[in-house]
Amino acid sequence: MNNPASDGTATRRTLRRKVSRKNYDENAMDELIEKQIGGNLKKKFRTKQDLEKETETEALIALSVGFPIDELLEEEIRAGVVRELGGKEQNDYIVVRNHIVARWRDNVRMWLLKDEIRETVSSDCEHLISAAYDFLLFNGYINFGVSPLFAPYIPDEGTEGSVIVVGAGLAGLAAARQLLSFGFKVLVLEGRSRPGGRVYTHKMGDKDRFAAVELGGSVITGLHANPLGVLARQLSIPLHKVRDNCPLYTSEGAIVDKVADSNVEFGFNKLLDKVTEVREMMDGAAKKISLGEVLETLRVLYGVAKDPEEKKLFDWHLANLEYANAGCLSNLSAAYWDQDDPYEMGGDHCFLAGGNWRLINALAEGLPIMYGKSVDTIKYGDGGVEVISGSQIFQADMILCTVPLGVLKKRSIKFEPELPRRKQAAIDRLGFGLLNKVAMLFPSVFWGEELDTFGCLNESSIDRGEFFLFYAYHTVSGGPALVALVAGEAAQRFELTEPSALLHRVLKKLRGIYGPKGVVVPDPIQTICTRWGSDPLSYGSYSHVRVGSSGVDYDILAESVRNRLFFAGEATTRQHPATMHGAYLSGLREASRILHVANFFRSYPKKPVQRYSGVNIDVLEDLFRRPDIATGKLSFVFNPLTDDPKSTGLVRVCFGNFEDDPTNRLQLYTILSREQANKLQELGENSNGSKLSYLISALGLKLMGANSVLDTGGALISVIANARKGRSRPRVVAG
């Protein structure tokens, strides 16, 4: 591999390598929106050119929030926002949807009303206005957050049902607020004495001299379209861009040569590119090996960082990678460690002025939260849910569990009945790593006012993650605070080391850096060492894709169980794991799902049903492992003992890349006859969307989740499963 042509300027250090895409910036695009949208709305008469320009701007904003340019989201398709997929109605819907998104993003402090949209969209599109507005509102794309001006639009009393939320972290708080706005009765149970969970701002010092430092989640990673940026705008909280300048020092205090730094970083990034090539060549075998193993093999093969000094620098980049993933490279999956990169939010990384507690407190304000309530048991069934905490019992219609993956791995909470094997297996497969910190409050900013970050190389590879990076909070915390990060294997040893020894080591490192420059490093006024790995309410820091796991496991963790038990948190979002915004978005997602289930229960009151013994989701999945017919995204199973056209069977509709990931969670079912299945097959090579539209519109069939089909079709499933035990049919694969 060739070295870069360097001008001596080190490239910017990032937690994850970026993917180039256009994004909406919560700050930078305000002026553009006001000019393009606000200006046009004030015009009584708009020219065709004005409308085209406005439509293009709104499409850009919608794209940045996650909507495709000329397609519907799978969630929109399932919601039935248009009567027929493709064609003029869908195109008109997309224009209306984009307009609504842009209108709210123009002023996120105000509650956007449907009547305001009617003022700017033709009355001919009334049905599209309702469809788009309702979808965006109930799926958390508009009118979410903490604006004080939302209060008049929040129902005083809950009429939709009752929900217990376990955990008052970002996911739990986001869901609770959203559920209250939907009209639910909500109770939040939190094991700690404070809200926030793994987002924890601690005030160091005393009332006369203090600084707010982040002991948990700290950086808003990417400001473009980030919901936490929306919350900051609603609260008028300034954001401080983490400046690019991050000098690296040797243990003797010498600053690392910028050319050498740039060359090693270039080689490091080229090796990551080679990892991508290798795993494509290895195909499925890459699932069984670690990123660390592949990187080291390639490093030796290509002769990267052969010099001992270069190797220390290379180790620093490995430590930074372990920090980004909260896991040792020996545990990270070579195949899927970066599966979320395409969804990464671009833009600046930012500190929140005054600390993240300002967002947490705003989210928690007014919520019915009971603190000090660690949950021992969660019971769920057709009659509702029951939560046991110590000697207290809480009951509700549904429950949302937002506890960290580490708690689920430890099986600290007993579930009755037990979680499905599929979900428990995903919990066991995914990784949950560790990041620890030493937070220090000093008498002065001895490191220099111009730095937000600086790094230090370690002498040995085994110690590469110990105090490898420092965050300076003096610009946003109110005092001269410095936080040293500990990642990888060093973070695990950190938990077993006395705080006094840790403080001695970190001060030795700081004095080694600044002593040769004649800068005196004073003793800190106060020091705090985190212990996230031994915290019984977290057992770690955040999730990663471990060897043997994949991004699909995040989807499985997000699956609800029997429409009563729901899950949220950073480890339930495949697109944004290990981030604060991912946790928040997962809370909005589950609030929407709970509303959908409540509406279904209300529309179709549940009659007492006795589920057939032995018929569960595992039996259902076994049937579809060998479908009688598979055509695109649709799979069919029938009773092999009869060919009667009127005999009934099951069809499963899979959304997403089901062929690549057969455990994809986006699966819906319905019951149909062989005759109806034949009609669907007659559509031939038509798109999956046309078949789905025909199934719903022409055949009048209603799709349902796994739990619902188990209830309504338990007898049929039992008959097919028993019939298959004595007879098998060849699989038919259609185009």
Side-chain angles (χ1 to χ4, degrees), residues 380 401 405 408 411 415 418-430 553-562 565-568 571-572 589-590 593 617-618 621 665:
Y380 60 96
C401 181
L405 176 59
L408 295 176
R411 292 167 168 75
F415 290 92
E418 291 183 352
L419 295 176
R421 288 179 300 176
R422 163 186 171 88
K423 184 179 286 286
Q424 190 60 59
I427 290 170
D428 294 337
R429 282 192 300 266
L430 273 174
D553 287 330
Y554 286 116
D555 289 341
I556 297 174
L557 254 68
E559 291 177 348
S560 62
V561 183
R562 297 178 65 172
L565 173 60
F566 299 79
F567 290 84
T572 70
R589 178 199 69 212
E590 291 309 302
R593 287 181 178 173
I617 193 167
D618 295 321
E621 288 181 356
R665 69 177 174 84

Side-chain angles (χ1 to χ4, degrees), residues 393-596:
I393 298 176
F394 304 90
Q395 295 178 327
D397 296 321
M398 289 173 276
I399 184 168
L400 173 59
C401 181
T402 72
V403 300
L405 176 59
V407 174
L408 295 176
K409 281 181 168 291
K410 287 284 187 178
R411 292 167 168 75
S412 301
I413 297 175
K414 181 180 180 182
F415 290 92
E416 295 182 6
E418 291 183 352
L419 295 176
R421 288 179 300 176
R422 163 186 171 88
K423 184 179 286 286
Q424 190 60 59
I427 290 170
D428 294 337
R429 282 192 300 266
L430 273 174
F432 195 66
L434 192 57
L435 174 74
N436 273 313
K437 302 181 179 183
V438 177
M440 298 163 284
L441 178 63
F442 288 97
S444 61
V445 184
F446 63 83
W447 53 88
E449 295 282 352
E450 74 285 356
L451 290 180
D452 291 324
T453 59
F454 60 91
C456 185
L457 310 187
N458 284 293
E459 290 298 308
S460 65
S461 294
I462 195 172
D463 294 324
R464 66 190 178 209
E466 182 173 280
F467 314 131
F468 79 101
L469 184 64
F470 291 81
Y471 274 123
Y473 282 93
H474 60 281
T475 56
V476 292
S477 68
L482 197 62
V483 174
L485 304 187
V486 186
E489 293 181 13
Q492 299 171 3
R493 294 193 299 274
F494 183 97
E495 301 254 337
L496 306 175
T497 308
E498 286 293 325
S500 57
L502 295 171
L503 177 60
H504 174 76
R505 295 214 291 258
V506 72
L507 287 177
K508 181 180 179 181
K509 180 158 289 191
L510 287 171
R511 285 164 181 160
I513 293 173
Y514 289 100
K517 301 177 179 61
V519 176
V520 176
V521 177
D523 288 335
I525 298 170
Q526 186 181 354
T527 305
I528 298 175
C529 297
T530 64
R531 291 284 192 276
W532 288 108
S534 52
D535 184 333
L537 296 177
S538 63
Y539 289 116
S541 300
Y542 41 95
S543 65
H544 58 257
V545 182
R546 195 167 61 179
V547 175
S549 181
S550 73
V552 176
D553 287 330
Y554 286 116
D555 289 341
I556 297 174
L557 254 68
E559 291 177 348
S560 62
V561 183
R562 297 178 65 172
N563 285 331
R564 295 292 180 181
L565 173 60
F566 299 79
F567 290 84
E570 58 84 15
T572 70
T573 168
R574 183 176 188 170
Q575 290 80 15
H576 308 290
T579 62
M580 292 189 292
H581 60 262
Y584 184 86
L585 288 170
S586 75
L588 298 184
R589 178 199 69 212
E590 291 309 302
S592 174
R593 287 181 178 173
I594 290 171
L595 176 65
H596 178 76

